[in-house]
Amino acid sequence: MSFYSAPSQQRNLRACMVCSVVQLHTKFMRDGCPNCENVLQLRGNNDAIQECTSQVFEGLIAIQDPAVSWVARWQRLDNYVAGTYATKVTGILPEYIISSLEDSGIKFVPRDGSTGEEEA
């Protein structure tokens, strides 16, 4: 696992609002999300990256073996790939993305600490 971001690049970091993986914008553009690509289809799609990732996040967790990490289990990351994740991601996914996730059998739980059931 190689995750290095020079200080000058850190303003280009984004966190996926579904799984909270943190990557450079260019990596989302080139490779998409390593956990959610089949649903979010971020690869090569700047608009989807803007809608489904956020520059506003807190804390970083580096997980080498998600299957055995209690931190990964605690953060609901144990079924994801090894990588760097945010502990909290601030942002609102568009309703059509949430519906698409649910149609794919994925129950969306916001990564900002809310339950996602508050009325606007």
Side-chain angles (χ1 to χ4, degrees):
M1 166 174 51
S2 67
F3 179 83
Y4 173 76
S5 176
S8 63
Q9 292 290 310
Q10 290 179 358
R11 62 183 152 78
N12 295 319
L13 289 175
R14 300 189 69 87
C16 176
M17 285 191 255
V18 176
C19 71
S20 77
V21 71
V22 175
Q23 303 183 135
L24 289 169
H25 180 277
T26 54
K27 187 156 173 58
F28 277 115
M29 188 66 115
R30 185 182 65 238
D31 302 330
C33 178
N35 301 303
C36 310
E37 186 61 24
N38 59 336
V39 178
L40 298 181
Q41 300 173 356
L42 302 181
R43 184 180 302 120
N45 187 339
N46 191 56
D47 290 340
I49 293 169
Q50 296 299 320
E51 288 183 328
C52 300
T53 68
S54 175
Q55 288 183 296
V56 184
F57 57 88
E58 297 175 20
L60 289 175
I61 304 167
I63 299 177
Q64 186 170 346
D65 191 347
V68 298
S69 167
W70 70 266
V71 173
R73 222 172 20 257
W74 179 264
Q75 291 288 322
R76 301 182 322 273
L77 304 171
D78 49 327
N79 291 320
Y80 294 147
V81 300
T84 303
Y85 292 84
T87 56
K88 183 177 180 182
V89 181
T90 302
I92 299 172
L93 272 178
E95 194 58 45
Y96 78 93
I97 297 286
I98 294 171
S99 296
S100 175
L101 289 167
E102 290 172 355
D103 290 347
S104 298
I106 301 167
K107 175 165 177 16
F108 174 67
V109 178
R111 293 281 175 177
D112 64 0
S114 71
T115 61
E117 297 174 358
E118 294 86 13
E119 290 297 316

